[in-house]
Amino acid sequence: MSLRFVTKSIHAYLDYPVAFGLILMPFIFGLGAENMLAFWLSVVTGVAAFGLTVLTDHHLGIFRVLPYSLHLAVDGAVGVVFVAAPILLGFAGIDFWYYMLLGLTVLSVVSLHKAEDVPSAA
C-alpha cells in the first residue's frame, strides 16, 4: 500500500490558496521585524507560485504551457530553500518557524505525490 495520495488534481487545488497565503501571511504574522528578507522571501515566492500555477499544465492552469513535472520540481526546490533559509539567513522566532514548518510541509506534499497511471501503448 502506497502512502502517496497527493494527485495532480489535489495539488492543483492547493496551489492557488498556497500562493495567496504566501503573499498574505507575512502581513498577518508580522514577518521580517528583524530581517526584511523573512518578509519578502514569502511575498515574492507567493507571486512566483501564482504565476507558476497559472502556467502549469493541470486542470486549474490558465495557459498550461509548463509541464506538471517542472511544477513539482520547483515546489521541491522551494521546500529546500524554505528549510535552509532560516538557518543560512539567521532568522529567529516566528520567522524561523514559519519557514521551517512551511518548507517541511512543502517537501512532504511533494514527497507524497502520486504519479498518474500512464496508459500502456499496446
Side-chain angles (χ1 to χ4, degrees):
M1 178 176 164
S2 175
L3 291 176
R4 295 176 181 253
F5 63 90
V6 180
T7 63
K8 186 177 180 179
S9 180
I10 291 170
H11 191 115
Y13 284 114
L14 295 172
D15 281 338
Y16 287 107
V18 168
F20 289 121
L22 287 169
I23 295 167
L24 295 175
M25 284 191 290
F27 295 96
I28 294 167
F29 293 134
L31 298 183
E34 295 179 24
N35 185 339
M36 283 307 290
L37 280 174
F39 178 88
W40 287 109
L41 179 59
S42 185
V43 173
V44 170
T45 303
V47 171
F50 179 80
L52 180 65
T53 300
V54 165
L55 297 173
T56 297
D57 183 18
H58 57 44
H59 71 287
L60 295 179
I62 297 171
F63 297 108
R64 301 180 186 181
V65 295
L66 298 176
Y68 180 65
S69 58
L70 175 64
H71 182 113
L72 279 177
V74 170
D75 283 355
V78 167
V80 170
V81 168
F82 275 19
V83 168
I87 298 163
L88 298 175
L89 300 174
F91 294 168
I94 187 71
D95 296 345
F96 178 91
W97 290 109
Y98 174 83
Y99 284 100
M100 189 59 66
L101 293 174
L102 206 53
L104 292 172
T105 300
V106 170
L107 290 173
S108 295
V109 169
V110 170
S111 70
L112 294 172
H113 168 68
K114 179 181 179 183
E116 294 180 353
D117 292 332
V118 178
S120 61

